Amino acid sequence: MSTIAPGPRVTGLETEFGVLCAPVGTPEAVKADLPDVERAAALIFRHRPVGYRSTNLFLPNGGRLYLDIGAHPEYATAECVSVRDLVAQDQAGRAILAAMAERAATGLAQERAPVRFHLLANNTDSAGHTYGCHESYSVPRSLLDATDHPAGAGTDTTMAVLTSFLATRPVLVGSGRSLAGGPAGPSEDSRGAGDEEAAWGLSPRAPTCRP
């Protein structure tokens, strides 16, 4: 067994946000031409922090805020070495986007009835496909190539451990999403509609994957 203590772990988060523009008050008081998703996202990014001209912002805190394909905002934190810093970075991104949405709603209210922009952090699209965090693992070369270092484990051993971890993690931490009507197959149930207490899918991507 190796006695080498693990080094600091660098982590980061990237969050995708859905956008919705909804009326404030009774729907009858609002014109029918509410901004669609693309227009709503464009209005929000019109009120980006001062000093930026594009919709791809590299912020002073090391994070990145940008409008991705499909008209949805994304915020990527800076790389962090502690959970406290990571949470602070993630909350900072949400606060920046919330302030942008509030300014966009104020500007739009001057032209028509009051509206509210909703930014929804989610991991499921309108078709039911799921997506999670991007993960990268930085390891010493000796961990992958046993010939470089006597303590090296080799690629086969390392990948066996990593894949076992990735396969069992959803069960250990309860990762997943709600499914309607029991275990989901390639049907409407796989989109997670209906009673959230009907079933819980520990592998959220499996029902929507196709060969």
Side-chain angles (χ1 to χ4, degrees), residues 15-143:
T15 305
E16 302 189 4
F17 294 87
V19 179
L20 174 66
C21 182
V24 174
T26 59
E28 293 77 12
V30 181
K31 296 181 179 180
D33 57 343
L34 284 174
D36 59 13
V37 173
E38 292 187 3
R39 177 62 176 161
L43 287 171
I44 290 174
F45 270 81
R46 181 184 295 178
H47 297 274
R48 55 190 174 271
V50 176
Y52 295 91
R53 296 183 178 181
S54 73
T55 57
N56 185 13
L57 292 65
F58 289 90
L59 303 172
N61 68 351
R64 181 187 176 202
L65 175 63
Y66 58 103
L67 187 61
D68 200 6
I69 298 173
H72 63 270
E74 293 196 24
Y75 177 77
T77 71
E79 295 176 331
C80 304
V81 294
S82 73
V83 174
R84 181 183 296 274
D85 288 344
L86 182 60
V87 172
Q89 280 273 343
D90 184 56
Q91 291 300 312
R94 294 170 185 254
I96 292 171
L97 273 169
M100 291 166 57
E102 289 179 4
R103 291 194 295 269
T106 300
L108 199 59
Q110 298 175 356
E111 305 173 6
R112 63 187 75 190
V115 298
R116 178 180 292 110
F117 289 98
H118 296 270
L119 292 168
L120 310 172
N122 75 67
N123 68 340
T124 306
D125 66 14
S126 58
H129 304 108
T130 65
Y131 40 88
C133 290
H134 305 288
E135 297 187 24
S136 300
Y137 296 87
S138 177
V139 298
R141 182 181 296 275
S142 60
L143 190 63

